[in-house]
Amino acid sequence: MVGASWPHYPPCVSEGCTNAACCGQEFKYVWPELVGKPASEAAAIIEKSNPSVTVLISKPGLIRLDNFCCNRVYVFSDQKGRVSAVPTVG
């Protein structure tokens, strides 16, 4: 597709882990306190508390990858741009 703009996305890293707790050995890996906060604010908080992840904000209707990655956190947002589900590594 000419002119398509893909988001920056690092190679997936899972190091044999299949769940978020396995990935979060030294960093935070789940953020229930961010539900209802603005998605961009939540992304900054996540990146500060776990510098080994890339945060991807997923707006309603966007497709997400189903593969599990220790270096990725999806922040699902609602129509108002607020976090609609608990962000978790994976």
Side-chain angles (χ1 to χ4, degrees):
M1 208 183 327
V2 176
S5 176
W6 294 92
H8 173 71
Y9 186 75
C12 180
V13 176
S14 62
E15 299 176 1
C17 291
T18 57
N19 64 62
C22 175
C23 297
Q25 293 175 14
E26 62 183 274
F27 296 112
K28 191 166 182 175
Y29 60 90
V30 63
W31 296 266
E33 70 279 8
L34 297 180
V35 174
K37 297 224 181 255
S40 57
E41 180 182 321
I45 291 168
I46 292 167
E47 288 172 343
K48 185 175 182 181
S49 66
N50 187 337
S52 67
V53 300
T54 295
V55 177
L56 301 168
I57 297 174
S58 181
K59 297 177 182 175
L62 291 179
I63 314 171
R64 73 178 200 98
L65 300 172
D66 286 330
N67 62 331
F68 184 86
C69 298
C70 286
N71 59 328
R72 175 181 64 207
V73 176
Y74 278 109
V75 172
F76 296 99
S77 66
D78 62 16
Q79 297 290 353
K80 295 180 181 179
R82 300 212 170 256
V83 179
S84 60
V86 175
T88 305
V89 167

